[in-house]
Amino acid sequence: MRVDEETVMRGGRVAVVGGSISGCAIATAVARAGAGEVVVLERTRGRLQDRGVGLCIHNERRAELGTSGALPAGIETHPLERRRWVVRDDAHGPGGRMIWEQPFPFHSYHWGLLWHGLRESVPDSVVYRQGETVTGAEGAGSSGADVRFAGGSVERYDLVVGADGYRSVVRAALCPDSRPQYAGYVCWRGNFDAALLTGLGSVADAFPQAVTTVCFAGGSCVIYRIPGPNGPRVNWVLYAAPPQDGSLRLDDPTSFPPGGLTPALALQLAALLDREFPPYWGRALALTGPADTFVQPIYDVETPRAAAGRLLLAGDAASVVRPHNTSGAAKALQDATALADGWRGCGTFEELLRGYQETRGAAGRDLVALARRLGRAQVERTPAWASMNGAEMAAWWRGQLGGSPGIGGRAMNP
């Protein structure tokens, strides 16, 4: 081990490209592990905490990440216990007919509240620079890695971590052939004030700790409660065939963000809810305002490596996993934990990057593979839901898992 590199490892200069959930977790992890200088480069100038979508973290992952320090205490959550799969059946009333129920040991989060908790936990020593558009990154061998900015300037760091999501410029440098692959369907998302459900009857209020999955030919929709800045909200994620009007580009990650939904797309969503959903759940989703509704094509990305040449990938930059697996946030926080553990235990950057690649590279590939199986079964090749009983549903579910213990990610040290 070279003395100069050992010295750098104990006080190195790190750039984290991206300042959302993954970026904040990475910055906190490496700062606490002993990095001398940590700089977060976030292109957005606005308030990231205004993003209102929901997400879930498995109870076992939540406990693991709380113990490691990657998931701060005190962030508001909503406990979930079971998942109810329902189909439209007018003979069973407006809520539909439940065809199966399974345990669902998760806690739900509001994206903005989770990000705020992670941002508040970033040590004061970390420099968080907003409005910084990074256009590229390049490893410079044993001397570090360069970050290029939109204005043409270049900064050198001992390590550059890409936590910059779907369109990662660090991934483009490290794995230029790994690009988002369109899955063949889209995801409609939205959330609304849970208090609005009182005007619809008691169907949802009877199951506040349940996730409801509405099943139909060619798609499915997951509905559950999340905490919100001003009280509980209902979050939903609907997977279906793409709109037929050509309004979405399907050759590159794109979306109509909240507030950007066109009247034509709004009509297509309304028609889908009316045609496929039990009446209660169709009316419930229709409570979502335009400012809280959006649609995006589903993609996934599998990378051959997560670290090399002083460049390292975390979160969605390392692997884009379809949301069916309910693992995105947990995986990002596990990446941060693994990097911190490696920093404390390794003597050189070469050793650090090699160990991270061995552990987190495999984890990302496994999650991508599982989410593809879930997507095929729940959207692309849906079964005849209405004719299935509980035993058949349980067998169908096991087939999707393909030997995996379940969704929500795996333990870091099983």
Side-chain angles (χ1 to χ4, degrees):
M1 176 172 56
R2 299 203 328 254
V3 175
D4 58 342
E5 188 168 4
E6 180 182 14
T7 303
V8 168
M9 277 293 298
R10 300 297 169 248
R13 188 167 185 247
V14 180
V16 181
V17 182
S20 60
I21 287 174
S22 179
C24 287
I26 289 287
T28 298
V30 295
R32 290 176 178 172
E37 180 182 355
V38 181
V39 178
V40 177
L41 305 170
E42 167 56 43
R43 64 181 179 84
T44 304
R45 296 182 181 274
R47 290 163 52 87
L48 274 74
Q49 61 266 40
D50 286 342
R51 300 178 185 177
V53 299
L55 57 91
C56 297
I57 297 179
H58 193 284
N59 290 351
E60 292 180 0
R61 305 293 82 70
R62 183 169 177 261
E64 172 190 78
L65 294 165
T67 299
S68 75
L71 182 60
I75 299 174
E76 190 174 359
T77 68
H78 178 80
L80 299 168
E81 299 174 356
R82 50 196 172 133
R83 185 175 186 179
R84 307 172 70 254
W85 299 73
V86 303
V87 294
R88 180 169 183 162
D89 187 335
D90 293 341
H92 283 72
R97 174 169 56 89
M98 187 176 74
I99 56 175
W100 190 42
E101 185 174 67
Q102 64 181 146
F104 196 82
F106 285 77
H107 276 67
S108 66
Y109 291 77
H110 180 281
W111 192 102
L113 295 179
L114 176 59
W115 176 83
H116 183 75
L118 291 165
R119 179 69 183 89
E120 288 291 303
S121 296
V122 174
D124 292 340
S125 61
V126 174
V127 178
Y128 191 100
R129 288 160 46 182
Q130 285 196 256
E132 295 280 8
T133 301
V134 174
T135 58
E138 184 176 1
S142 60
S143 62
D146 293 333
V147 174
R148 297 191 303 277
F149 295 87
S153 62
V154 176
E155 296 179 5
R156 177 157 295 186
Y157 294 86
D158 296 303
L159 178 68
V160 174
V161 180
D164 47 343
Y166 273 49
R167 299 179 175 88
S168 173
V169 297
V170 183
R171 185 205 305 131
L174 185 58
C175 307
D177 295 328
S178 296
R179 299 181 178 88
Q181 300 295 313
Y182 174 50
Y185 55 95
V186 302
C187 168
W188 302 81
R189 299 193 71 151
N191 67 94
F192 59 90
D193 185 348
L196 295 174
L197 290 174
T198 57
L200 298 182
S202 60
V203 172
D205 290 338
F207 311 105
Q209 275 72 52
V211 172
T212 296
T213 300
V214 175
C215 309
F216 56 93
S220 56
C221 179
V222 182
I223 308 163
Y224 57 92
R225 293 192 179 215
I226 62 173
N230 301 305
R233 299 186 69 79
V234 176
N235 184 75
W236 54 270
V237 187
L238 194 169
Y239 305 97
Q244 299 302 307
D245 60 1
S247 54
L248 277 179
R249 285 184 57 194
L250 303 177
D251 58 346
D252 183 61
T254 186
S255 69
F256 281 90
L261 210 64
T262 65
L265 284 172
L267 286 174
Q268 290 188 58
L269 175 59
L272 175 62
L273 297 179
D274 182 64
R275 182 178 68 250
E276 303 289 0
F277 276 51
Y280 176 91
W281 293 110
R283 292 195 298 269
L285 267 61
L287 295 170
T288 311
D292 294 312
T293 307
F294 68 98
V295 58
Q296 65 184 120
I298 291 294
Y299 294 84
D300 46 38
V301 176
E302 183 177 2
T303 55
R305 54 185 178 272
R310 299 293 183 93
L311 300 175
L312 183 145
L313 303 175
D316 286 346
S319 56
V320 177
V321 180
R322 304 181 196 185
H324 311 285
N325 201 18
T326 321
S327 62
K331 192 264 185 185
L333 299 180
Q334 286 182 328
D335 288 347
T337 300
L339 182 56
D341 290 346
W343 194 286
R344 295 186 183 100
C346 296
T348 67
F349 279 107
E350 180 182 6
E351 184 183 357
L352 171 69
L353 270 64
R354 183 172 61 249
Y356 184 90
Q357 164 62 27
E358 290 173 354
T359 58
R360 302 314 297 163
R365 289 190 295 274
D366 288 347
L367 291 174
V368 170
L370 173 56
R372 284 172 174 164
R373 294 197 299 272
L374 295 168
R376 283 194 294 270
Q378 297 178 35
V379 186
E380 299 172 83
R381 305 171 191 168
T382 52
W385 311 95
S387 66
M388 296 174 71
N389 59 32
E392 291 168 334
M393 286 289 294
W396 168 80
W397 181 256
R398 289 193 298 271
Q400 296 173 66
L401 295 181
S404 295
I407 63 173
R410 295 188 178 185
M412 290 189 67
N413 300 300

